[in-house]
Amino acid sequence: MSPALTTTGQRFERLVGILAQLRAPGGCPWDREQNFDTIKPYLLEETYEVLDAIDQRDWPGLAEELGDLMLQAVFFAQIAAEEGKFSIDDSLDAISEKLIRRHPHVFGDGSAKTSDEVKRRWDEIKADEKKDKDKKAKEKTGKGNPPQGRLDSVPRQLPALVEAQQLSSKAASVGFDWENSSQVLDKLDEELRELAEARKNGTPAELEGEIGDLLFVLVNLARFHKVDPEQALRQTNAKFRKRFAFVENRATLPGATLGEMEALWQEAKAHD
């Protein structure tokens, strides 16, 4: 039976304690075998399950999935603590201090009246922190970290749509951007023409490149209209699942003609 818990802190400490016991001698063989690399796939899996619960508006499911996601953070921190690298306390302190530091308009005497101003100030503070960290590293070791470009802070392991969004946002923050979304649409037309040419005369590599360029411009169009491209595509995927299931349940597949399937598709679309 679970002990009586009255505070969020007690509940969090219980989770940390359970994982420490699972990893301790005499604990769970599977948990004891894990390391940073072996549990990375579970972090990604749980992240997408959180996103799916949100898309489904499954609030009890979201509560459970967020618990699974928190487990991954605690798991990483537990391994780090065992190896003397850091503890979960260090992670909690780091994020709390960062939130206070990067919200001077809330916790200090700064000013920011729009979300765009908040984001700009966040990026400025983040850049200052990077400079300060490099300075301290140079004082300690006699040499600083290698110079980094503005885009180097965007992880290469991100899903491609998310990476494209962050890359273009970083570039736009210093003025490397179109003036309005109409110019983005003009660029979209240009890329469509180049794609058509690549389909006729290009190599497979050139065709792949043109499709990539087209997707990148679409991500920028979404950015101009403050649409999350990853979320937009996830919603379209869900819509496709629903409509195709409608077709599948009413047609003989394979076997139905394209005309029959299209008629059912339109019927499914009318039910949206």
Side-chain angles (χ1 to χ4, degrees), residues 208-245:
E208 179 182 62
E210 294 301 339
I211 291 175
D213 291 346
L214 185 63
L215 288 170
F216 193 83
V217 174
L218 285 171
V219 168
N220 277 276
L221 183 62
R223 176 175 57 82
F224 261 88
H225 290 283
K226 299 187 183 303
V227 171
D228 181 343
E230 183 79 10
Q231 181 62 17
L233 185 56
R234 286 175 61 83
Q235 289 179 356
T236 295
N237 289 344
K239 183 167 55 180
F240 184 88
R241 285 176 183 268
K242 180 181 177 183
R243 291 179 184 176
F244 187 81

Short mmCIF file of all heavy atoms in Angstrom, two decimals, residues 208-245:
data_model
loop_
_atom_site.label_atom_id
_atom_site.label_comp_id
_atom_site.label_asym_id
_atom_site.label_seq_id
_atom_site.Cartn_x
_atom_site.Cartn_y
_atom_site.Cartn_z
N GLU A 208 15.51 14.85 -54.77
CA GLU A 208 15.44 14.83 -53.30
C GLU A 208 15.74 16.21 -52.73
O GLU A 208 15.07 16.68 -51.81
CB GLU A 208 16.45 13.81 -52.75
CG GLU A 208 16.46 13.73 -51.23
CD GLU A 208 17.52 12.75 -50.73
OE1 GLU A 208 18.72 13.00 -51.01
OE2 GLU A 208 17.15 11.76 -50.08
N GLY A 209 16.74 16.87 -53.30
CA GLY A 209 17.10 18.21 -52.83
C GLY A 209 15.98 19.22 -53.03
O GLY A 209 15.72 20.04 -52.15
N GLU A 210 15.32 19.15 -54.16
CA GLU A 210 14.23 20.10 -54.44
C GLU A 210 13.03 19.85 -53.52
O GLU A 210 12.37 20.80 -53.09
CB GLU A 210 13.80 20.02 -55.91
CG GLU A 210 14.86 20.48 -56.90
CD GLU A 210 15.30 21.91 -56.67
OE1 GLU A 210 14.56 22.69 -56.04
OE2 GLU A 210 16.40 22.27 -57.12
N ILE A 211 12.74 18.60 -53.22
CA ILE A 211 11.66 18.30 -52.29
C ILE A 211 12.02 18.82 -50.90
O ILE A 211 11.17 19.37 -50.18
CB ILE A 211 11.36 16.78 -52.27
CG1 ILE A 211 10.72 16.36 -53.60
CG2 ILE A 211 10.44 16.42 -51.10
CD1 ILE A 211 10.49 14.86 -53.73
N GLY A 212 13.28 18.67 -50.53
CA GLY A 212 13.74 19.21 -49.24
C GLY A 212 13.59 20.72 -49.19
O GLY A 212 13.14 21.27 -48.18
N ASP A 213 13.97 21.40 -50.30
CA ASP A 213 13.83 22.86 -50.35
C ASP A 213 12.37 23.28 -50.20
O ASP A 213 12.05 24.25 -49.52
CB ASP A 213 14.38 23.40 -51.68
CG ASP A 213 15.90 23.26 -51.78
OD1 ASP A 213 16.54 23.00 -50.74
OD2 ASP A 213 16.42 23.40 -52.90
N LEU A 214 11.49 22.53 -50.85
CA LEU A 214 10.06 22.83 -50.79
C LEU A 214 9.53 22.69 -49.36
O LEU A 214 8.79 23.55 -48.87
CB LEU A 214 9.31 21.89 -51.74
CG LEU A 214 7.81 22.13 -51.91
CD1 LEU A 214 7.55 23.49 -52.54
CD2 LEU A 214 7.21 21.03 -52.78
N LEU A 215 9.94 21.61 -48.69
CA LEU A 215 9.51 21.41 -47.31
C LEU A 215 10.03 22.52 -46.40
O LEU A 215 9.32 22.99 -45.51
CB LEU A 215 10.01 20.04 -46.81
CG LEU A 215 9.30 18.81 -47.39
CD1 LEU A 215 10.06 17.54 -47.01
CD2 LEU A 215 7.87 18.75 -46.91
N PHE A 216 11.27 22.96 -46.64
CA PHE A 216 11.86 24.01 -45.81
C PHE A 216 11.08 25.32 -45.96
O PHE A 216 10.84 26.04 -44.98
CB PHE A 216 13.33 24.23 -46.18
CG PHE A 216 14.08 25.06 -45.18
CD1 PHE A 216 14.61 24.48 -44.04
CD2 PHE A 216 14.28 26.41 -45.38
CE1 PHE A 216 15.30 25.24 -43.11
CE2 PHE A 216 14.97 27.19 -44.46
CZ PHE A 216 15.48 26.59 -43.31
N VAL A 217 10.67 25.63 -47.19
CA VAL A 217 9.89 26.86 -47.41
C VAL A 217 8.53 26.74 -46.73
O VAL A 217 8.03 27.70 -46.13
CB VAL A 217 9.72 27.14 -48.92
CG1 VAL A 217 8.78 28.32 -49.14
CG2 VAL A 217 11.07 27.42 -49.55
N LEU A 218 7.91 25.56 -46.78
CA LEU A 218 6.62 25.36 -46.11
C LEU A 218 6.75 25.55 -44.60
O LEU A 218 5.85 26.11 -43.95
CB LEU A 218 6.08 23.96 -46.42
CG LEU A 218 5.50 23.77 -47.82
CD1 LEU A 218 5.20 22.30 -48.08
CD2 LEU A 218 4.23 24.61 -48.00
N VAL A 219 7.87 25.10 -44.03
CA VAL A 219 8.11 25.32 -42.61
C VAL A 219 8.18 26.81 -42.30
O VAL A 219 7.64 27.29 -41.30
CB VAL A 219 9.40 24.60 -42.15
CG1 VAL A 219 9.82 25.06 -40.76
CG2 VAL A 219 9.19 23.09 -42.17
N ASN A 220 8.81 27.58 -43.18
CA ASN A 220 8.91 29.02 -42.98
C ASN A 220 7.55 29.70 -43.14
O ASN A 220 7.23 30.66 -42.43
CB ASN A 220 9.91 29.63 -43.96
CG ASN A 220 11.34 29.50 -43.47
OD1 ASN A 220 11.81 30.32 -42.68
ND2 ASN A 220 12.02 28.45 -43.90
N LEU A 221 6.73 29.20 -44.05
CA LEU A 221 5.38 29.74 -44.19
C LEU A 221 4.59 29.52 -42.90
O LEU A 221 3.88 30.42 -42.43
CB LEU A 221 4.68 29.08 -45.38
CG LEU A 221 3.28 29.59 -45.70
CD1 LEU A 221 3.31 31.06 -46.10
CD2 LEU A 221 2.65 28.75 -46.82
N ALA A 222 4.74 28.33 -42.33
CA ALA A 222 4.08 28.03 -41.06
C ALA A 222 4.57 28.97 -39.96
O ALA A 222 3.79 29.48 -39.16
CB ALA A 222 4.33 26.58 -40.67
N ARG A 223 5.88 29.24 -39.95
CA ARG A 223 6.46 30.13 -38.93
C ARG A 223 5.87 31.54 -39.04
O ARG A 223 5.55 32.15 -38.02
CB ARG A 223 7.98 30.17 -39.10
CG ARG A 223 8.68 31.13 -38.15
CD ARG A 223 10.20 31.03 -38.27
NE ARG A 223 10.67 31.27 -39.61
CZ ARG A 223 10.87 32.48 -40.13
NH1 ARG A 223 10.60 33.57 -39.40
NH2 ARG A 223 11.33 32.62 -41.35
N PHE A 224 5.71 32.03 -40.26
CA PHE A 224 5.16 33.37 -40.44
C PHE A 224 3.74 33.47 -39.90
O PHE A 224 3.32 34.52 -39.42
CB PHE A 224 5.18 33.76 -41.93
CG PHE A 224 6.35 34.62 -42.29
CD1 PHE A 224 7.55 34.06 -42.68
CD2 PHE A 224 6.26 36.00 -42.24
CE1 PHE A 224 8.64 34.85 -43.01
CE2 PHE A 224 7.34 36.81 -42.58
CZ PHE A 224 8.54 36.23 -42.96
N HIS A 225 3.01 32.37 -40.00
CA HIS A 225 1.62 32.38 -39.53
C HIS A 225 1.48 31.78 -38.14
O HIS A 225 0.37 31.47 -37.70
CB HIS A 225 0.74 31.64 -40.54
CG HIS A 225 0.58 32.38 -41.83
ND1 HIS A 225 -0.27 33.45 -41.98
CD2 HIS A 225 1.19 32.22 -43.04
CE1 HIS A 225 -0.19 33.91 -43.22
NE2 HIS A 225 0.69 33.18 -43.88
N LYS A 226 2.63 31.61 -37.45
CA LYS A 226 2.65 31.11 -36.07
C LYS A 226 1.95 29.76 -35.95
O LYS A 226 1.18 29.49 -35.01
CB LYS A 226 2.03 32.13 -35.11
CG LYS A 226 2.77 33.46 -35.10
CD LYS A 226 2.25 34.39 -34.02
CE LYS A 226 2.94 35.75 -34.07
NZ LYS A 226 4.41 35.67 -33.94
N VAL A 227 2.19 28.89 -36.92
CA VAL A 227 1.69 27.52 -36.92
C VAL A 227 2.85 26.58 -36.67
O VAL A 227 3.92 26.74 -37.27
CB VAL A 227 1.02 27.17 -38.28
CG1 VAL A 227 0.69 25.69 -38.36
CG2 VAL A 227 -0.24 28.01 -38.48
N ASP A 228 2.68 25.64 -35.76
CA ASP A 228 3.71 24.64 -35.50
C ASP A 228 3.64 23.59 -36.60
O ASP A 228 2.64 22.85 -36.68
CB ASP A 228 3.46 23.99 -34.13
CG ASP A 228 4.50 22.95 -33.77
OD1 ASP A 228 5.22 22.49 -34.68
OD2 ASP A 228 4.58 22.57 -32.59
N PRO A 229 4.63 23.49 -37.49
CA PRO A 229 4.55 22.56 -38.62
C PRO A 229 4.48 21.10 -38.19
O PRO A 229 3.80 20.29 -38.82
CB PRO A 229 5.81 22.84 -39.43
CG PRO A 229 6.75 23.48 -38.46
CD PRO A 229 5.90 24.25 -37.51
N GLU A 230 5.18 20.77 -37.11
CA GLU A 230 5.14 19.39 -36.61
C GLU A 230 3.72 19.03 -36.17
O GLU A 230 3.18 17.97 -36.52
CB GLU A 230 6.11 19.23 -35.44
CG GLU A 230 6.21 17.82 -34.89
CD GLU A 230 7.08 16.89 -35.71
OE1 GLU A 230 7.78 17.38 -36.63
OE2 GLU A 230 7.06 15.68 -35.45
N GLN A 231 3.09 19.92 -35.42
CA GLN A 231 1.74 19.69 -34.95
C GLN A 231 0.74 19.69 -36.11
O GLN A 231 -0.20 18.90 -36.15
CB GLN A 231 1.34 20.74 -33.91
CG GLN A 231 -0.05 20.57 -33.33
CD GLN A 231 -0.23 19.26 -32.58
OE1 GLN A 231 0.74 18.60 -32.22
NE2 GLN A 231 -1.48 18.88 -32.35
N ALA A 232 0.95 20.58 -37.08
CA ALA A 232 0.06 20.63 -38.24
C ALA A 232 0.09 19.31 -39.00
O ALA A 232 -0.96 18.78 -39.41
CB ALA A 232 0.47 21.79 -39.16
N LEU A 233 1.31 18.76 -39.19
CA LEU A 233 1.43 17.49 -39.90
C LEU A 233 0.86 16.34 -39.08
O LEU A 233 0.23 15.43 -39.63
CB LEU A 233 2.89 17.23 -40.26
CG LEU A 233 3.16 16.00 -41.12
CD1 LEU A 233 2.35 16.03 -42.42
CD2 LEU A 233 4.64 15.87 -41.43
N ARG A 234 1.04 16.38 -37.77
CA ARG A 234 0.47 15.33 -36.91
C ARG A 234 -1.06 15.34 -37.02
O ARG A 234 -1.69 14.28 -37.06
CB ARG A 234 0.89 15.55 -35.46
CG ARG A 234 2.34 15.18 -35.17
CD ARG A 234 2.72 15.53 -33.74
NE ARG A 234 1.90 14.81 -32.78
CZ ARG A 234 2.14 13.56 -32.38
NH1 ARG A 234 3.18 12.90 -32.86
NH2 ARG A 234 1.35 12.97 -31.51
N GLN A 235 -1.66 16.52 -37.07
CA GLN A 235 -3.11 16.60 -37.20
C GLN A 235 -3.58 16.07 -38.55
O GLN A 235 -4.60 15.38 -38.65
CB GLN A 235 -3.56 18.05 -37.01
CG GLN A 235 -3.43 18.55 -35.59
CD GLN A 235 -3.86 20.00 -35.43
OE1 GLN A 235 -4.19 20.67 -36.41
NE2 GLN A 235 -3.85 20.49 -34.20
N THR A 236 -2.81 16.38 -39.60
CA THR A 236 -3.16 15.86 -40.93
C THR A 236 -3.00 14.34 -40.96
O THR A 236 -3.82 13.63 -41.57
CB THR A 236 -2.28 16.51 -42.00
OG1 THR A 236 -2.58 17.91 -42.05
CG2 THR A 236 -2.53 15.91 -43.37
N ASN A 237 -1.96 13.82 -40.31
CA ASN A 237 -1.78 12.37 -40.24
C ASN A 237 -2.97 11.71 -39.55
O ASN A 237 -3.46 10.66 -39.99
CB ASN A 237 -0.50 12.03 -39.48
CG ASN A 237 0.76 12.38 -40.25
OD1 ASN A 237 0.71 12.60 -41.45
ND2 ASN A 237 1.88 12.45 -39.56
N ALA A 238 -3.43 12.33 -38.46
CA ALA A 238 -4.57 11.77 -37.73
C ALA A 238 -5.83 11.80 -38.59
O ALA A 238 -6.64 10.87 -38.58
CB ALA A 238 -4.79 12.56 -36.44
N LYS A 239 -5.98 12.89 -39.35
CA LYS A 239 -7.14 13.01 -40.25
C LYS A 239 -7.08 11.94 -41.34
O LYS A 239 -8.11 11.33 -41.68
CB LYS A 239 -7.14 14.41 -40.85
CG LYS A 239 -8.32 14.71 -41.75
CD LYS A 239 -8.40 16.21 -42.04
CE LYS A 239 -7.13 16.77 -42.62
NZ LYS A 239 -7.23 18.22 -42.90
N PHE A 240 -5.88 11.71 -41.87
CA PHE A 240 -5.73 10.67 -42.90
C PHE A 240 -6.05 9.29 -42.34
O PHE A 240 -6.72 8.48 -42.99
CB PHE A 240 -4.30 10.69 -43.46
CG PHE A 240 -4.10 9.73 -44.60
CD1 PHE A 240 -4.36 10.11 -45.90
CD2 PHE A 240 -3.65 8.43 -44.36
CE1 PHE A 240 -4.18 9.22 -46.95
CE2 PHE A 240 -3.47 7.53 -45.40
CZ PHE A 240 -3.73 7.93 -46.70
N ARG A 241 -5.58 9.01 -41.13
CA ARG A 241 -5.89 7.72 -40.47
C ARG A 241 -7.39 7.51 -40.39
O ARG A 241 -7.91 6.43 -40.71
CB ARG A 241 -5.31 7.69 -39.06
CG ARG A 241 -3.82 7.50 -38.94
CD ARG A 241 -3.42 7.59 -37.48
NE ARG A 241 -2.00 7.48 -37.26
CZ ARG A 241 -1.35 6.32 -37.02
NH1 ARG A 241 -2.04 5.20 -36.98
NH2 ARG A 241 -0.05 6.30 -36.82
N LYS A 242 -8.11 8.55 -39.93
CA LYS A 242 -9.55 8.46 -39.73
C LYS A 242 -10.29 8.23 -41.04
O LYS A 242 -11.17 7.37 -41.16
CB LYS A 242 -10.05 9.73 -39.05
CG LYS A 242 -11.54 9.75 -38.77
CD LYS A 242 -11.92 11.07 -38.12
CE LYS A 242 -13.44 11.16 -37.89
NZ LYS A 242 -13.82 12.47 -37.31
N ARG A 243 -9.91 9.01 -42.07
CA ARG A 243 -10.60 8.89 -43.35
C ARG A 243 -10.29 7.56 -44.04
O ARG A 243 -11.18 6.95 -44.65
CB ARG A 243 -10.21 10.06 -44.26
CG ARG A 243 -10.76 11.39 -43.81
CD ARG A 243 -10.31 12.52 -44.74
NE ARG A 243 -10.76 13.81 -44.27
CZ ARG A 243 -10.44 14.97 -44.85
NH1 ARG A 243 -9.64 14.97 -45.91
NH2 ARG A 243 -10.90 16.11 -44.37
N PHE A 244 -9.03 7.12 -43.95
CA PHE A 244 -8.69 5.85 -44.60
C PHE A 244 -9.38 4.69 -43.89
O PHE A 244 -9.79 3.73 -44.56
CB PHE A 244 -7.18 5.64 -44.61
CG PHE A 244 -6.77 4.44 -45.42
CD1 PHE A 244 -6.69 4.53 -46.80
CD2 PHE A 244 -6.51 3.22 -44.81
CE1 PHE A 244 -6.33 3.42 -47.55
CE2 PHE A 244 -6.14 2.11 -45.56
CZ PHE A 244 -6.06 2.22 -46.93
N ALA A 245 -9.50 4.77 -42.56
CA ALA A 245 -10.22 3.72 -41.82
C ALA A 245 -11.67 3.65 -42.29
O ALA A 245 -12.25 2.56 -42.40
CB ALA A 245 -10.16 3.99 -40.32
#
